[in-house]
Structures are given as C-alpha cells and as structure tokens.
C-alpha cells in the first residue's frame, strides 16, 4: 500500500513534530510518511528538528507574501509540488481561511491543548489555553486532535485524552503535562489512523 504523504505545519518549538518523527521511527506511524515541514516563522526550532531528521522544509512568511490569499496560494503550490495527501497542524499559529480548509476537507488535522469545546477558538493558543484553564479552575484538562474546517477549533473531533490538573500547577507545568500525557500520544495515533484511511482508500 502506498503511504500517505504528510506535510507538517509548524510555528515554534516543534515538540509535536518531534513526537511524529519519533512515532514514525518507532513504527507507530506506518501508513504515512512525513515528507515536508512548512514553517511560517523563519526561526522556528521545528526547522532544526526537520533538518536533523533529513526532512525537507520550507519557510513561508505571511508578511512576505503580502496577503492571506498569496500566503495560502504559496502553501498550496508547495503541497501540490510535493504530492501531499495529509496536512498536520502541529503548533501552527496561523488561522487558515475557509477557502483553504474546504480545498483540503478531511485532509487537515490539528492538535489543540485542551478538551474541545473548552478553551478553544480565536485567541486560545499555546500557553494562553493553560492560563485560561487554571483561571477557570478546571480539575481535568487534556488535548484534542480534530479535523480542521472554517471554524477555528470547530472541526470534527478525532481523538481526545484527559489530563489531571494538579495543585500548584502553573501554565508552564500544565502545558508540559498535557504535552507529555496527551498531545505527543494522540497526535501520532490520529495521524496514523487518518493516513491509513487515505492510503487504504485509493
Ligand atoms: C502545543 O501545545 C500545541 O497543542 C499548541 O501549541 C503548542 C506547540 O508546541 N497549539 C495550539 O495552541 C493551536 N491552537 P510545539 O511547537 O512544541 O509542538
């Protein structure tokens, strides 16, 4: 069976990208292959991780493109040039338009660091999500992998995993626990499941 070709979109540290790379090496991801990493920040450490693992990467800057339309046109160009089947948003801090998401319906997945529908949508990203969870006082949080559509964090849920909030947690300690106990586990699992569907369906 031909593997699904995966592009991972990143903006920062890339620990979720690392989890995907490790899962591919460990045989957890077998139906897909990480073929391309695209960053919208030129200093994203995720680019170093891609290079260290021999994965092709590209930087596409919204500002240099001049408009959201031109930015997305460049992304599409790269996705088409590389025959990408599945896009994984792994800490990608830029909202994609409805035109883009509808072109890749059920072909874009995202990891979000809360149990959707809590603490999600516009403005809820990165550490802010954990700040909001602690401020609200929830005792359980977690992570969600979902399909991406035109509504930020609003697409169909694929997988979720709960994580306990502990006394004395700071946004940083909570973020670390959610990553270790949820994100780095369910993102590779969901990537394999969707890759298997794509590879098996053609
Ligand atoms: C992760 O916690 C990811 O879930 C979150 O940003 C972090 C990126 O870390 N994404 C969002 O908040 C998207 N709405 P990483 O670069 O180390 O993978």
């Amino acid at each position: 069976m031909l593997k699904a070709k995966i592009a991972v979109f990143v903006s920062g540290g890339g620990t979720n990208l690392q989890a995907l790379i490790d899962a591919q090496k460990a045989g957890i991801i077998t139906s897909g292959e990480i073929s391309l990493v695209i960053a919208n920040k030129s200093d994203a450490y995720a680019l170093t991780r891609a290079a260290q693992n021999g994965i092709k990467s590209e930087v596409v800057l919204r500002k240099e493109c001049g408009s959201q339309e031109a930015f997305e046109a460049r992304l599409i160009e790269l996705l088409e040039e590389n025959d990408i089947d599945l896009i994984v948003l792994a800490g990608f801090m830029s909202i994609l338009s409805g035109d883009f998401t509808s072109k890749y319906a059920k072909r874009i997945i995202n990891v979000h660091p809360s149990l959707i529908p809590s603490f999600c949508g516009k403005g809820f990203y990165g550490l802010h999500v954990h700040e909001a969870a602690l401020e609200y006082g929830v005792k359980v949080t977690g992570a969600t992998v979902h399909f991406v559509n035109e509504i930020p964090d609003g697409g169909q849920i694929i997988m979720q995993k709960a994580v306990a909030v502990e006394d004395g947690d700071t946004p940083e300690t909570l973020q670390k626990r959610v990553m270790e106990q949820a994100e780095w586990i369910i993102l590779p699992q969901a990537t394999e499941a969707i890759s298997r569907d794509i590879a098996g369906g053609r």
Side-chain angles (χ1 to χ4, degrees):
M1 200 163 59
L2 217 56
K3 292 188 185 205
K5 291 188 79 180
I6 301 168
V8 185
F9 285 16
V10 295
S11 301
T15 64
N16 278 288
L17 168 66
Q18 190 66 55
L20 291 166
I21 293 169
D22 293 346
Q24 190 170 288
K25 287 183 182 160
I28 293 164
I29 296 175
T30 56
S31 306
E33 181 168 31
I34 306 165
S35 309
L36 180 65
V37 168
I38 300 182
N40 68 338
K41 296 259 188 306
S42 40
D43 61 353
Y45 186 69
L47 290 165
T48 304
R49 297 181 192 274
Q52 282 167 348
N53 289 278
I55 300 166
K56 180 176 169 184
S57 66
E58 298 278 354
V59 176
V60 184
L61 304 176
R62 162 81 175 69
K63 218 171 163 185
E64 269 183 12
C65 293
S67 67
Q68 184 68 18
E69 228 178 337
F71 173 66
E72 293 182 355
R74 177 64 186 141
L75 294 176
I76 292 168
E77 199 173 73
L78 289 170
L79 294 169
E80 290 180 350
E81 270 172 28
N82 289 279
D83 296 319
I84 297 300
D85 299 300
L86 173 64
I87 301 162
V88 178
L89 307 185
F92 186 63
M93 305 303 187
S94 172
I95 293 177
L96 296 162
S97 74
D99 283 346
F100 186 94
T101 59
S102 60
K103 184 172 166 65
Y104 294 99
K106 293 278 168 81
R107 294 297 171 110
I108 315 174
I109 67 174
N110 177 49
V111 63
H112 182 77
S114 76
L115 295 174
I116 289 175
S118 290
F119 314 117
C120 65
K122 209 164 174 275
F124 288 98
Y125 60 90
L127 215 51
H128 299 304
V129 178
H130 305 291
E131 283 164 4
L134 289 176
E135 199 167 301
Y136 199 96
V138 292
K139 300 298 177 202
V140 175
T141 184
T144 303
V145 179
H146 62 92
F147 283 114
V148 175
N149 64 8
E150 70 286 358
I151 304 159
D153 299 323
Q156 189 193 333
I157 290 172
I158 301 165
M159 233 175 245
Q160 289 188 303
K161 193 162 187 289
V163 174
V165 177
E166 289 177 9
D167 289 347
D169 261 338
T170 62
E172 289 79 8
T173 60
L174 186 56
Q175 178 182 53
K176 184 166 180 277
R177 190 175 318 110
V178 168
M179 283 177 158
E180 286 172 355
Q181 296 184 7
E183 295 185 51
W184 299 343
I185 300 165
I186 64 172
L187 184 62
Q189 286 176 350
T191 300
E192 170 57 17
I194 306 304
S195 296
R196 200 186 313 126
D197 287 350
I198 293 171
R202 61 182 170 200

